[in-house]
Amino acid sequence: MAAPISLYLLFMILFFQTHLSYSTADPKMDHGLQLSWSTSDVHDLLPTYGLPKGILPNNVKSYTLSASGDFTIELESTCYVQFDQLVYYEKTIRGKLSYGAVHDVSGIQAKKLFLWLPVTGIEVDENSGMVQFFVGALSETLPAKQFEDIPVCKSKAFLRAVLASM
């Protein structure tokens, strides 16, 4: 009778050590290292930070995000997206991510009148359902619903067609 109990205890000890053990380190803490996720996760990550997934185009190749919120996004290629304004995405986009906001943005430009101006920040007001874009010294507020869907990236040929229609 003692042997089955001993085997049972041994089994329980092994089971609990292997199946219930886990790291106590916070997975969001990277101790100075870059965290990296696959392409399919980047658009799903944005809503967890209170941002609409459609602020980035569909051609994201990869991205890194540090514990401090600094990020780098690599696109397959440069591209244009037509929102209320024509927006240009460089191949590399950088910035600092926090809940409901992106600051110190580089790699995104919006066309205002005849000028291309850098998008330097994005803030979401969940109460009003609006997204505020900081473009140069200006800002523009647009409905968050406009950014629910992930936009399709357009090529330089698209830009020529848009400019020709003006």
Side-chain angles (χ1 to χ4, degrees), residues 122-142:
I122 303 168
E123 292 183 5
V124 174
D125 183 352
E126 289 181 340
N127 295 330
S128 68
M130 302 297 278
V131 180
Q132 186 173 15
F133 293 86
F134 298 92
V135 180
L138 309 171
S139 71
E140 184 167 347
T141 304
L142 301 171

Side-chain angles (χ1 to χ4, degrees), residues 9 25 68-69 76 80 121 134-135 139:
L9 288 174
S68 66
E76 294 288 340
Y80 297 88
F134 298 92
V135 180
S139 71

Side-chain angles (χ1 to χ4, degrees), residues 31-87:
H31 307 288
L33 300 175
Q34 295 289 313
L35 302 176
S36 183
W37 291 271
S38 69
T39 302
S40 63
D41 292 341
V42 68
H43 295 98
D44 295 332
L45 177 72
L46 291 171
T48 65
Y49 280 87
L51 297 165
K53 62 184 176 181
I55 62 173
L56 289 175
N58 67 334
N59 71 338
V60 175
K61 180 178 173 182
S62 66
Y63 74 99
T64 58
L65 175 64
S66 73
S68 66
D70 293 321
F71 68 85
T72 301
I73 298 170
E74 295 292 331
L75 303 181
E76 294 288 340
S77 63
T78 61
C79 75
Y80 297 88
V81 174
Q82 182 69 53
F83 295 110
D84 278 0
Q85 304 290 327
L86 185 61
V87 177

Side-chain angles (χ1 to χ4, degrees), residues 12-32:
M12 292 300 286
I13 290 170
L14 290 174
F15 175 77
F16 283 113
Q17 283 184 339
T18 58
H19 294 288
L20 296 180
S21 64
Y22 63 95
S23 172
T24 57
D26 183 352
K28 294 177 185 168
M29 296 297 293
D30 69 355
H31 307 288

